[in-house]
Amino acid sequence: MEDDKLLNVLVVPPFIERTKETLFRNFARNEMAYYKFHFIEKVPLCDCGVVDFVALLEICRQVVDEEGIDMLYTSEDESTIIGAILQEAIPRFRGPSLESVFLCDNKYYTHKVVDSSWWPLKTCYSVLDTSQNDESLEKMCNALLPVGTPGVLKPVIGNGGSGFAVFHTKDELKEILKKTGNRIQEHFDTKKLYEIHLDQDKYPNGHVPAVISQPFVDMNKLDGPMLVNVEACIYNGEIILWPLTTSVVKISEFNGIKKRQVLPAIQIPAELADQQVKQITEVFTKELQKLIEHGFDNSVIHGEYFVYNDGQVQLFDMNPRYCPVCHWLYMKTVDNGNTVTAGMQVAINIRPATPKINGKVGMVHWLYTEQSGPANYFIDFQAAEKN
């Protein structure tokens, strides 16, 4: 196919090298033949060394105009924000609204607006006061401690567990706020975009560095929950659900005492009772419908939930993008399970085929080592690829 026939795709920064790797590994050759990808190789930085997202947005606008971009590819939390702003400004682009992306991105508003759990996690909120004096620390602690102890502190904007900390006492919470306050602020390098483009009357604290606290959920307790990943693709308001994946739990017994251990892994098919699957699907669908009402459309979305044996479901996190870890499982165990392909299809008004488990069992397990050096020193990737 000639270049002028290809669909021009802007791969939205900032994490270009990581995005290139996942993008090109996720597409089959016949799929790649339809697209011409455009990359912004140099990302502008502020004086403090973090990404200047306002300048980056303007560079993206320029590339869109100069290259005649037909569609956007976003795979990171930060790139979805830029993508949503461009989508709202340029009618030919299809994707979620900035408001709906924000409701996933900002964990305080996720639990305040989106959460449809019957027994939601108690969530407390505090604007982050960086003065770090005794009075400000006392005020923040008083706002965050009602969740009880042990509790979990995390920035309202962040991903991959960044800024996540467990506290057991008020003094410990104060020390965490002292040590991590500035680091938590760094997660708000996108705040200027929200300040400029988000409705500040509706979300007055949407661009302000802040933290939330929640009760610590011990999944290693015998009656502890499973962590369940759920994904869906929204196509013109229609919800297309992907199969569930769950954490991997090992039950052992010694001298008559049972012990439960949650391994650093996820698996498919999900080890859940039918009633649990029904409950989590109902909650996830209700939350997606709320997001659709706020403009979430034509994109993939990922949710994480605690699911208990009695059917209790609690929303843990929501992300306005696909989950790379789940994606690898879907590629091997689910027919029509490629979430990257699905995201590209809805962007050009093609309904993805409904995914179905193909009968294979899959697991992604994290490996930890105290050794250092290139990964291929420790893992035979050629052998792994063959198997």
Side-chain angles (χ1 to χ4, degrees), residues 78-103:
E78 295 83 355
S79 65
T80 59
I81 300 170
I82 294 176
I85 295 170
L86 292 172
Q87 177 268 330
E88 290 186 337
I90 302 170
R92 69 177 179 272
F93 293 152
R94 294 162 53 83
S97 68
L98 179 63
E99 181 183 10
S100 65
V101 167
F102 169 77
L103 289 174

Side-chain angles (χ1 to χ4, degrees), residues 116-119 244 273-286 305 307-308 310-313:
S116 299
S117 308
W118 291 288
W119 303 276
L244 308 181
D274 291 344
Q275 184 62 25
Q276 290 174 308
V277 173
K278 180 182 177 183
Q279 297 274 55
I280 191 171
T281 302
E282 286 182 2
V283 172
F284 186 50
T285 301
K286 285 182 180 179
Y305 295 82
V307 180
Y308 292 80
D310 62 2
Q312 179 179 348
V313 175

Side-chain angles (χ1 to χ4, degrees), residues 85-232:
I85 295 170
L86 292 172
Q87 177 268 330
E88 290 186 337
I90 302 170
R92 69 177 179 272
F93 293 152
R94 294 162 53 83
S97 68
L98 179 63
E99 181 183 10
S100 65
V101 167
F102 169 77
L103 289 174
C104 297
D105 191 30
N106 187 295
K107 305 314 174 191
Y108 170 68
Y109 282 103
T110 301
H111 288 277
K112 181 179 180 181
V113 178
V114 180
D115 196 343
S116 299
S117 308
W118 291 288
W119 303 276
L121 280 171
K122 184 177 179 62
T123 301
C124 292
Y125 169 88
S126 175
V127 172
L128 192 62
D129 188 334
T130 57
S131 62
Q132 301 289 332
N133 57 44
D134 290 341
E135 183 180 351
S136 68
L137 287 169
E138 186 73 17
K139 184 178 179 181
M140 285 189 287
C141 285
N142 289 339
L144 297 167
L145 277 171
V147 299
T149 56
V152 174
L153 182 76
K154 48 189 171 182
V156 297
I157 293 178
N159 57 64
S162 301
F164 181 102
V166 178
F167 60 88
H168 298 83
T169 64
K170 184 175 183 178
D171 288 341
E172 191 174 3
L173 176 58
K174 281 185 179 180
E175 289 303 312
I176 292 170
L177 288 167
K178 285 180 185 178
K179 292 177 181 178
T180 65
N182 291 331
R183 184 157 57 90
I184 288 173
Q185 272 208 103
E186 293 173 4
H187 295 291
F188 288 81
D189 48 13
T190 55
K191 66 181 182 294
K192 196 66 178 177
L193 290 177
Y194 285 134
E195 184 177 354
I196 296 170
H197 298 279
L198 189 68
D199 185 342
Q200 295 303 315
D201 292 331
K202 194 171 185 179
Y203 303 105
N205 291 328
H207 64 287
V208 178
V211 290
I212 61 171
S213 60
Q214 293 178 325
F216 173 72
V217 177
D218 187 356
M219 294 201 300
N220 286 321
K221 291 175 62 177
L222 280 176
D223 60 350
M226 297 281 279
L227 183 63
V228 180
N229 292 276
V230 197
E231 294 210 8

Side-chain angles (χ1 to χ4, degrees), residues 33-61:
Y34 295 102
Y35 305 105
K36 180 179 180 181
F37 293 97
H38 299 260
F39 300 93
I40 296 171
E41 301 291 352
K42 189 173 182 181
V43 175
L45 302 178
C46 299
D47 293 338
C48 58
V50 300
V51 176
D52 185 338
F53 280 95
V54 175
L56 182 57
L57 173 61
E58 294 311 309
I59 292 173
C60 290
R61 288 188 199 273

Side-chain angles (χ1 to χ4, degrees), residues 56-76:
L56 182 57
L57 173 61
E58 294 311 309
I59 292 173
C60 290
R61 288 188 199 273
Q62 185 178 352
V63 173
V64 167
D65 292 338
E66 292 178 353
E67 302 295 339
I69 298 298
D70 299 297
M71 58 185 291
L72 307 172
Y73 174 78
T74 60
S75 61
E76 308 279 352

